[in-house]
């Protein structure tokens, strides 16, 4: 059964979505409803749903703003009365985009895409994703695809593919979420994905130099290098 959070500022729209979900062939359980970005963030954090049906236009921001505020991003189906948001919605790998008024057949198609994304279908921690936003550009990115996190004050620069957007979280907040067997703190300002390291060499300072797959070089301090060598028998 899909655990669903409905986020729409219009009560009638939520009522209609509730009615449509009740008639769907896909078993759905609505665990919470919200009418704003702030309420939606709280509902998702409290209930950890499998799926969010998310209106793009909300009173205190957009659906994209809501996703950027989440620690963990569930599967998302966007809803809107305006089709000019569709391209951007698909650019961030949303499961689907439903144009209001929502047709039962289109909702059914969207829910079919969501059903395999439930934990019961075998989702693993490696598919844990974050939502990143840089101006009008947005991405859903699996943690395992991120090469490097780099602190910039209270924010974090995220390196993946050829992209380097800022994330509105500190490096320390992110570190608590990451798997220490895969992500290692190389300094006070950087965390590296070990799966993205192509080469490790000794540095003149007594530390280590990590060369990433994109040829970027990251310096590991002497103290952290010593602990890393012991843990990895270098």
């Amino acid at each position: 059964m899909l655990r669903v959070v409905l986020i729409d500022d219009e009560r009638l729209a939520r009522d209609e979505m509730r009615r449509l979900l009740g008639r769907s062939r896909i078993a759905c359980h609505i665990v919470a409803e919200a009418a704003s970005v702030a309420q939606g963030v709280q509902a998702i954090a409290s209930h950890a749903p499998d799926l969010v049906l998310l209106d793009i236009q909300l009173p205190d921001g957009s659906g994209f703003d809501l996703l950027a505020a989440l620690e963990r991003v569930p599967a998302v189906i966007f809803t809107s009365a305006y089709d000019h948001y569709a391209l951007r919605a698909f650019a961030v790998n949303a499961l689907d985009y439903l144009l209001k008024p929502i047709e039962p057949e289109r909702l059914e198609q969207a829910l079919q895409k969501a059903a395999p994304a439930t934990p019961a279908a075998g989702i693993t921690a490696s598919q844990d994703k974050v939502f990143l936003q840089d101006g009008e550009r947005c991405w859903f990115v699996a943690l395992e695809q991120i090469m490097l996190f780099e602190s910039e004050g209270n924010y974090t620069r995220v390196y993946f593919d050829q992209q380097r957007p800022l994330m509105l979280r500190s490096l320390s907040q992110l570190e608590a979420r990451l798997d220490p067997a895969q992500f290692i703190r190389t300094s006070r300002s950087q965390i590296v994905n070990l799966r993205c390291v192509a080469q490790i060499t000794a540095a003149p300072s007594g530390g280590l130099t990590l060369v990433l797959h994109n040829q970027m070089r990251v310096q590991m301090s002497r103290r952290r290098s010593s602990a890393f060598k012991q843990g990895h028998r270098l």
Side-chain angles (χ1 to χ4, degrees):
M1 178 177 288
L2 284 173
R3 301 176 69 256
V4 179
V5 168
L6 301 182
I7 303 177
D8 197 306
D9 62 324
E10 297 181 3
R11 181 183 59 79
L12 292 178
R14 297 197 306 275
D15 290 345
E16 175 63 9
M17 183 64 75
R18 195 184 309 112
R19 184 186 68 81
L20 292 173
L21 290 175
R23 295 185 176 185
S24 171
R25 295 190 298 272
I26 305 296
C28 296
H29 173 49
I30 300 171
V31 296
E33 297 184 19
S36 67
V37 169
Q39 292 176 7
V41 170
Q42 183 175 1
I44 293 170
S46 299
H47 297 278
D50 305 312
L51 173 67
V52 176
L53 287 160
L54 178 59
D55 189 11
I56 291 181
Q57 291 185 305
L58 297 167
D60 54 345
S62 71
F64 302 104
D65 297 328
L66 183 152
L67 294 175
L70 297 178
E71 287 293 327
R72 286 179 169 80
V73 182
V76 175
I77 295 173
F78 285 112
T79 63
S80 178
Y82 305 96
D83 60 4
H84 63 271
Y85 290 108
L87 185 60
R88 186 177 176 194
F90 284 120
V92 300
N93 300 320
L95 285 176
D96 212 330
Y97 179 95
L98 302 177
L99 188 63
K100 299 177 182 178
I102 295 170
E103 299 177 356
E105 296 80 6
R106 280 292 292 118
L107 176 62
E108 198 70 16
Q109 293 171 7
L111 293 176
Q112 289 286 351
K113 298 175 185 178
T118 63
I123 286 294
T124 65
S126 66
Q127 292 167 290
D128 192 6
K129 294 183 178 181
V130 294
F131 179 82
L132 300 170
Q133 187 172 15
D134 185 11
E136 289 298 308
R137 304 184 69 190
C138 306
W139 304 266
F140 282 123
V141 184
L143 287 177
E144 64 178 9
Q145 296 176 331
I146 297 173
M147 294 183 290
L148 173 69
F149 296 96
E150 188 170 55
S151 176
E152 292 193 14
N154 292 325
Y155 303 130
T156 300
R157 182 75 61 185
V158 181
Y159 293 73
F160 66 97
D161 294 334
Q162 302 300 316
Q163 311 300 329
R164 299 182 179 185
L166 272 178
M167 191 175 192
L168 306 183
R169 290 181 183 81
S170 70
L171 198 64
S172 296
Q173 287 175 307
L174 282 168
E175 185 176 23
R177 172 179 175 179
L178 299 173
D179 179 0
Q182 181 178 350
F183 292 90
I184 183 167
R185 190 87 175 238
T186 57
S187 66
R188 293 180 62 185
S189 62
Q190 293 177 315
I191 296 175
V192 169
N193 183 350
L194 289 177
R195 295 180 184 175
C196 297
V197 175
Q199 185 180 13
I200 301 176
T201 60
S205 63
L208 294 172
T209 299
L210 281 61
V211 182
L212 306 185
H213 290 155
N214 65 350
Q215 300 306 306
M216 185 175 179
R217 303 171 76 86
V218 177
Q219 301 301 319
M220 184 184 292
S221 68
R222 180 183 298 180
R223 179 178 63 83
R224 294 181 188 274
S225 295
S226 178
F228 179 78
K229 291 175 183 177
Q230 292 179 9
H232 293 78
R233 298 182 179 179
L234 295 182

